[in-house]
Amino acid sequence: MIDPRKQRQTPSFPPPVPTPGAPKKAGGWGPLAFFGAIVVGALALGQCSTSSRNAGSAATDVAQNAIGSAIDAQTAQGVPIVTPLSKSDVQIGMSHLRQVAKAEGLAGEMIYSQNCYDALSRHFTWPKLDQCGAFDLGAAQSLGDGTATGFDKEIAWFQSEAAAGRYIKGATAAGEEAEKADVRLNDLQTRVTAGHPVGFKGEQPAGGIPASADAVAPEAAQ
């Protein structure tokens, strides 16, 4: 089966890429291969289901666990220092969403999101988690404007509970307490909602995220 992340690419705006040479466990798979294999396995299992939407939900659940396992493996070497939620990181994630949505649509958004968390599975940082989370929560809010037909697995991936679950799983795997992770998620949701109206994609609305967000966005692709 073809890995869905490799079916399409968004060359004009690649996802965040971790620092080269991120450590891997000797004698085993790196987090990238692990995460990809888990998602592919879930999608293959989903093909046997009578409901493609249920298959998509199963894939998101398995991927969420893979994200947590990969990040947890990194923290075995030392828990990263928790940094505060940054306005600029929220803006980066939302700016990326606007550009990917305009160029690639919902399918491209899912590929970007998977790649973003795949990068975290190789090299975790709190700013990257917040950027991935802002992207996902903005995409989830956009789905509130209507139902896209023929995109069951993408819709399942961006359901609000699934998007929040990935973020919480990443935060707790990195050593954050569950209650504090919930508070951080609520703060992130509030900021995303304020700058990303339900159903909005594309150009920036009046009074929305300042243009400076686009100025810092390319840094996430380095």
Side-chain angles (χ1 to χ4, degrees):
M1 169 171 287
I2 298 175
D3 188 329
R5 293 173 295 139
K6 296 182 179 178
Q7 291 178 350
R8 299 180 62 194
Q9 298 295 329
T10 55
S12 61
F13 209 76
V17 177
T19 302
K24 297 181 180 180
K25 286 189 174 181
W29 287 3
L32 174 62
F34 172 70
F35 179 75
I38 289 294
V39 174
V40 169
L43 292 174
L45 180 63
Q47 287 187 335
C48 300
S49 173
T50 57
S51 169
S52 59
R53 180 161 298 205
N54 288 341
S57 297
T60 62
D61 291 341
V62 175
Q64 183 181 122
N65 291 330
I67 291 166
S69 296
I71 294 175
D72 185 64
Q74 293 181 53
T75 59
Q77 306 298 323
V79 178
I81 297 176
V82 179
T83 57
L85 179 63
S86 164
K87 178 181 178 180
S88 65
D89 289 323
V90 177
Q91 291 176 328
I92 288 171
M94 296 172 67
S95 176
H96 287 191
L97 174 60
R98 291 197 301 274
Q99 296 185 48
V100 174
K102 185 176 181 180
E104 298 291 335
L106 188 56
E109 292 172 37
M110 181 175 175
I111 292 172
Y112 180 97
S113 174
Q114 289 177 330
N115 287 345
C116 193
Y117 276 99
D118 193 35
L120 278 172
S121 77
R122 291 180 286 163
H123 182 70
F124 178 89
T125 68
W126 285 99
K128 294 297 185 191
L129 177 64
D130 293 334
Q131 292 166 25
C132 295
F135 184 99
D136 278 12
L137 293 176
Q141 290 184 17
S142 296
L143 290 177
D145 194 43
T147 301
T149 58
F151 292 93
D152 287 346
K153 69 177 183 294
E154 288 86 356
I155 291 172
W157 183 265
F158 286 119
Q159 286 295 313
S160 57
E161 289 185 2
R166 284 190 293 275
Y167 184 84
I168 290 293
K169 180 69 75 172
T172 54
E176 183 63 289
E177 297 176 7
E179 290 185 3
K180 292 183 178 180
D182 285 334
V183 171
R184 190 183 185 99
L185 172 64
N186 289 336
D187 188 8
L188 178 62
Q189 289 175 321
T190 298
R191 296 184 187 217
V192 169
T193 300
H196 190 90
V198 173
F200 169 76
K201 290 184 181 180
E203 299 301 325
Q204 177 182 314
I209 302 174
S212 59
D214 294 318
V216 298
E219 295 177 5
Q222 301 301 316

